[in-house]
Amino acid sequence: MNKINILNVSIDNLTQEELLLLLKEKGGVVVTPNVDHLIKLQKDPEFHHIYQEADYRVCDSQIVKIVSKWLGSPIREKISGSDLFPAFYTYFKDDPDTKIFLLGAAEGVAHKAQKNINSKLGRDMVIGSYSPSYGFEKNEAECQKIIEMINESGATVLAVGVGAPKQEKWISKYKNQLPNIKVFMAIGATLDFEAGNRPRSPEWMSKYGVEWAFRLMSEPKRLWKRYLVEDLPFFWLVFQQKLNLYQYKSPIGQLLKTAGLISSEQVEEILQEQAYQRHLRFGDLLARRGWVKPETVDFFAEQLPQLETAHPHQPLGQYLKKAALLNDDQITRILNYQRQTGMKFGEIAVLKGWVKQETIDWFLETVKAEHKVRSLEDKQKYGKPSMRAIAS
């Protein structure tokens, strides 16, 4: 799938028709990034990790679509949750295996949405609904009750509308306890629209990217801070991206996972533990469990960000040593074997079982990227690459 990167979020450049076909063939988790999400993702490592793990990230904002064109990589179609969900149940209206459970909204709203949808379709496609209590995500007993309801209902699709990032976090935490669910959709205020509890903005406002103004007028007390304060930095960050000045510091957990040093399950487990022990750093909890050495955590947290200002790049073995992934004896043995066989350093480290292939690939790609940036900066500054860049 073609992907568009905006503020370190990879958005799938799909049409709604393409997405529906993929959901029919493969199922998966759907999230819908908009301006508010993109801002929250800058500050919330858990939310960012969940976004990275989602199967589909589709544009839920005309503003984001316009920005993508300005950045030079236009998104083909806006697919908001409130458009996607009715398109989804209409697309699957004749499929008896598609059975939907609705979770979210205020008391009674999800049930009303259920009745409205089934009435439109002429059959009971929506087979269950539940409006949780305020703060339900922190009540494990209620969450387990919800899981039991969904599993007993026979649903194969779960649509969750409790607001971001709560809905995405709930799906991520409990999806493995819902074996019958093939499609998970985070749909925000869509249940209110389906129930007729709130009006949608006129189509022309959505087309020109001012749907937010309609929502602000509809719910000023709840939304004024989001739209008029919290989301404004989006435009400054996008301007930085346009000038290649935008920098996102990836969460330590995301870096270690991408480097093949921990699994997605381990990241999720530590994030959940950290939620109850906020005084402890992510890396501290990893090291305490013995999943990663403290020296490795320090390298990724402290030394890695300095790569771009480092001296001429060093051999791969030295980076792996700094990250506490190889020791001097292992490096010496690899070099001796390399002289005998002519194999690459990383190949031997993997062959010996000391480092994973994905870790080698990550280090090589990261170092390559950093020195490519330096070469470009030298060329812009001096008109040609520096000898340091050529030697690298």
Side-chain angles (χ1 to χ4, degrees), residues 144-164:
Q144 289 303 318
K145 172 188 170 184
I146 293 169
I147 289 167
E148 186 176 340
M149 289 173 62
I150 297 169
N151 285 334
E152 289 180 352
S153 72
T156 57
V157 176
L158 176 62
V160 185
V162 293

Side-chain angles (χ1 to χ4, degrees), residues 196-343:
N197 197 44
R198 291 181 194 167
R200 287 202 64 183
S201 67
E203 188 175 339
W204 69 267
M205 296 188 80
S206 178
K207 179 180 178 181
Y208 290 105
V210 291
E211 186 173 3
W212 63 271
F214 181 86
R215 293 199 63 193
L216 177 60
M217 289 185 291
S218 301
E219 301 179 82
K221 289 185 178 180
R222 189 174 74 88
L223 297 176
W224 74 269
K225 189 174 181 181
R226 176 198 296 184
Y227 291 135
L228 302 181
V229 179
E230 294 172 349
D231 290 352
L232 286 181
F234 170 79
F235 301 100
W236 171 238
L237 293 173
V238 166
F239 182 67
Q240 289 179 316
Q241 180 172 333
K242 179 71 173 179
L243 299 179
N244 294 318
L245 297 174
Y246 168 77
Q247 291 184 331
Y248 176 85
K249 185 177 181 181
S250 295
I252 183 71
Q254 187 64 37
L255 285 172
L256 292 168
K257 184 182 81 72
T258 306
L261 298 173
I262 57 177
S263 67
S264 295
E265 292 72 22
Q266 288 172 315
V267 173
E268 290 175 9
E269 193 170 330
I270 293 296
L271 286 170
Q272 290 173 20
E273 184 177 349
Q274 193 178 32
Y276 296 100
Q277 302 186 68
R278 296 188 180 277
H279 62 288
L280 291 176
R281 298 185 307 167
F282 187 98
D284 294 335
L285 293 170
L286 275 177
R288 192 166 72 176
R289 291 186 178 216
W291 289 344
V292 178
K293 294 178 182 178
E295 296 86 353
T296 304
V297 171
D298 291 341
F299 172 82
F300 278 83
E302 307 297 337
Q303 298 182 48
L304 185 62
Q306 299 173 8
L307 271 179
E308 62 184 28
T309 57
H311 295 297
H313 76 275
Q314 301 172 22
L316 174 63
Q318 291 304 308
Y319 288 113
L320 295 170
K321 178 183 174 183
K322 287 180 178 180
L325 299 174
L326 290 178
N327 57 38
D328 286 328
D329 179 62
Q330 289 171 319
I331 291 174
T332 300
R333 290 167 65 181
I334 291 173
L335 291 173
N336 288 336
Y337 195 84
Q338 189 177 33
R339 282 192 285 269
Q340 296 170 17
T341 64
M343 292 175 64

Side-chain angles (χ1 to χ4, degrees), residues 163-187:
K166 187 188 300 185
Q167 58 196 13
E168 291 82 5
K169 290 183 178 182
W170 197 92
I171 290 172
S172 176
K173 183 176 181 180
Y174 293 107
K175 65 182 179 182
N176 291 335
Q177 296 183 42
L178 298 165
N180 298 322
I181 301 296
K182 309 303 180 188
V183 176
F184 296 84
M185 306 174 74
I187 58 172

